[in-house]
């Protein structure tokens, strides 16, 4: 994924999706100069969120259309088909939602997500990040730095890794009834990766709550890593002394390592990773060169100084 963080952006500064989608109706009803200005921009071909201010971590690439991001997803808990999860995910029960904090931490327990988010807002803002799965996209994620949550629960000095676990609802997630992966899905980060300011817990995107097919109500976004590192529907965060096994590493250790850093010079055993497909692009511009660390090398390369990025993939 491509993640770049604009300076504090108020929701009021961003065109609401309903207004954008009903721009022709706005013309007919002649709702005033501000509405007409929004309409003029839309008619000129300026896509929604393309004018989000650029901050120190913001991508300067065009924002991917909401419809593309919300209708083409990897969500194996529902299906291996990238479009059907849009419908299947609607059966997921996300209210109430609890988050377990466990392991090497001073304040373990099971917390209601709303209790974590509402009384003490965790610097929620919009992050315009670029992301890479089997394709690339630029998404305005709404969320907060993972490190803000980690500090709240006070991990001990023994905590060197953070493990995340997805909800297990086989009655509503048909993919979990099969053996595509060892359920529930797990993922992990080294503590310094988890504490990096680019690492995000997302609760929404495009100025609205996170759609179920995109990981509601809480998902991980790590912009310099491949998309399978972006675990969805998180119910547990576990602080560990030892490196945890991750879902894809357990499934195919010869193909998927722990780190999952974007490195175009290291091909996957079954395909090249030197080029990526741009989600929603025309056939004439659908491919672009993959960038080391997904374009975030200046920010994160120091995390892996001295490491063999071919061995630790």
């Amino acid at each position: 994924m491509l993640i770049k963080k604009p300076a504090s952006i108020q929701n009021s500064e961003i065109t609401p999706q309903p207004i954008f989608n009903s721009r022709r109706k706005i013309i007919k009803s002649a709702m005033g100069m501000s509405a007409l200005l929004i309409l003029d921009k839309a008619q000129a071909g300026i896509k929604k969120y393309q004018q989000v201010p650029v901050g120190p971590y913001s991508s300067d690439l065009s924002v991917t259309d909401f419809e593309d991001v919300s209708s083409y997803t990897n969500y194996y808990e529902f299906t291996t088909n990238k479009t059907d999860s849009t419908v299947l995910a609607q059966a997921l029960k996300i209210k109430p939602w609890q988050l377990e904090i466990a392991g090497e931490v001073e304040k373990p327990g099971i917390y209601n997500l709303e209790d974590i988010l509402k009384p003490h807002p965790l610097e929620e803002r919009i992050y315009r990040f670029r992301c890479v799965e089997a394709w690339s996209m630029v998404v305005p994620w709404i969320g907060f730095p993972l490190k803000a949550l980690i500090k709240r629960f006070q991990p001990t000095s023994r905590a060197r890794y953070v493990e995340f676990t997805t909800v297990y609802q086989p009655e509503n997630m048909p993919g979990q009834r099969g053996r595509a992966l060892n359920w529930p899905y797990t993922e992990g980060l080294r503590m310094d990766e988890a504490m990096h300011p680019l690492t995000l817990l997302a609760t929404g995107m495009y100025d609205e709550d996170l759609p179920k097919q995109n990981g509601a109500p809480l998902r991980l976004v790590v912009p310099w890593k491949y998309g399978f590192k972006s675990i969805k529907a998180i119910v547990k965060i576990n602080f560990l002394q030892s490196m945890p096994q991750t879902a894809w590493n357990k499934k195919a250790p010869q193909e998927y390592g722990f780190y999952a850093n974007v490195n175009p010079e290291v091909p996957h055993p079954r395909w090249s990773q030197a080029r990526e497909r741009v989600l929603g692009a025309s056939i004439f511009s659908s491919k672009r060169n993959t960038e080391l660390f997904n374009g975030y090398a200046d920010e994160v390369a120091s995390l892996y100084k001295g490491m063999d990025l071919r061995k630790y993939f």
Side-chain angles (χ1 to χ4, degrees), residues 218-238:
L218 188 69
R219 69 169 285 165
L220 181 69
V221 179
V222 190
W224 69 94
K225 296 179 180 287
Y226 284 104
F228 58 85
K229 205 75 171 178
S230 300
I231 187 170
K232 304 175 179 72
I234 299 170
V235 294
K236 183 177 181 180
I237 299 178
N238 193 17

Side-chain angles (χ1 to χ4, degrees), residues 17 48 64-71 205-206 208 211 214:
Q17 185 178 349
K48 184 180 181 182
T64 307
D65 283 351
F66 172 86
E67 291 75 13
D68 290 323
V69 175
S70 62
S71 64
M205 65 183 202
Y206 296 86
E208 63 180 45
N214 292 100

Side-chain angles (χ1 to χ4, degrees), residues 284-296:
F284 302 105
S285 59
S286 61
K287 289 277 190 176
R288 69 186 302 276
N289 291 332
T290 304
E291 299 178 62
L292 182 63
F293 296 115
N294 198 26
Y296 294 90

Side-chain angles (χ1 to χ4, degrees), residues 5 122-125 127 129 142-151 194-202 220-221:
K5 181 178 69 175
L122 292 168
E123 306 175 35
E124 187 167 90
R125 65 192 68 154
Y127 297 75
F129 291 162
I142 300 171
F144 53 88
L146 173 59
K147 69 176 182 179
L149 184 143
I150 290 176
K151 288 180 178 179
M195 295 296 289
H196 194 280
L198 278 176
T199 305
L200 177 73
L201 283 177
L220 181 69
V221 179

Side-chain angles (χ1 to χ4, degrees), residues 11 14-17 48-49 126 140 142 204-209:
N11 288 346
I14 303 174
T15 305
Q17 185 178 349
K48 184 180 181 182
Y49 290 97
I126 292 177
I142 300 171
M205 65 183 202
Y206 296 86
D207 201 24
E208 63 180 45
D209 289 342

Side-chain angles (χ1 to χ4, degrees), residues 84-272:
D84 289 353
S85 61
T86 303
V87 174
L88 294 173
Q90 303 317 308
L92 182 66
K93 296 178 181 178
I94 63 172
K95 291 184 178 181
W97 194 268
Q98 293 184 317
L99 181 65
E100 180 180 359
I101 305 296
E104 300 289 347
V105 67
E106 296 291 342
K107 297 181 178 180
I110 298 177
Y111 301 85
N112 292 324
L113 183 60
E114 61 182 10
D115 293 336
I116 293 175
L117 299 180
K118 294 294 173 62
H120 307 287
L122 292 168
E123 306 175 35
E124 187 167 90
R125 65 192 68 154
I126 292 177
Y127 297 75
R128 182 172 161 180
F129 291 162
R130 177 172 175 273
C131 312
V132 175
E133 297 199 36
W135 57 90
S136 69
M137 54 190 173
V138 178
V139 180
W141 298 106
I142 300 171
F144 53 88
L146 173 59
K147 69 176 182 179
L149 184 143
I150 290 176
K151 288 180 178 179
R152 179 176 296 180
F153 296 104
Q154 301 175 12
T156 72
S157 60
R158 295 184 296 274
R160 298 178 59 227
Y161 295 90
V162 185
E163 179 187 51
F164 307 87
T165 303
T166 290
V167 69
Y168 185 64
Q169 284 187 24
E171 69 277 15
N172 296 317
M173 305 173 100
Q176 289 184 335
R177 302 171 206 157
R179 298 182 178 180
L181 291 169
N182 184 15
W183 309 111
Y185 194 100
T186 58
E187 196 43 85
L189 295 172
R190 215 169 55 191
M191 182 61 77
D192 57 349
E193 295 176 319
M195 295 296 289
H196 194 280
L198 278 176
T199 305
L200 177 73
L201 283 177
T203 59
M205 65 183 202
Y206 296 86
D207 201 24
E208 63 180 45
D209 289 342
L210 201 60
K212 291 181 178 181
Q213 65 271 23
N214 292 100
L218 188 69
R219 69 169 285 165
L220 181 69
V221 179
V222 190
W224 69 94
K225 296 179 180 287
Y226 284 104
F228 58 85
K229 205 75 171 178
S230 300
I231 187 170
K232 304 175 179 72
I234 299 170
V235 294
K236 183 177 181 180
I237 299 178
N238 193 17
F239 295 86
L240 303 171
Q241 295 185 54
S242 302
M243 180 184 290
Q245 281 192 292
T246 64
W248 283 102
N249 182 235
K250 286 184 283 188
K251 175 69 175 180
Q254 73 282 4
E255 296 187 7
Y256 300 98
F258 174 82
Y259 285 97
N261 290 325
V262 174
N263 188 349
E265 297 180 1
V266 179
H268 184 279
R270 290 181 283 123
W271 58 76
S272 169

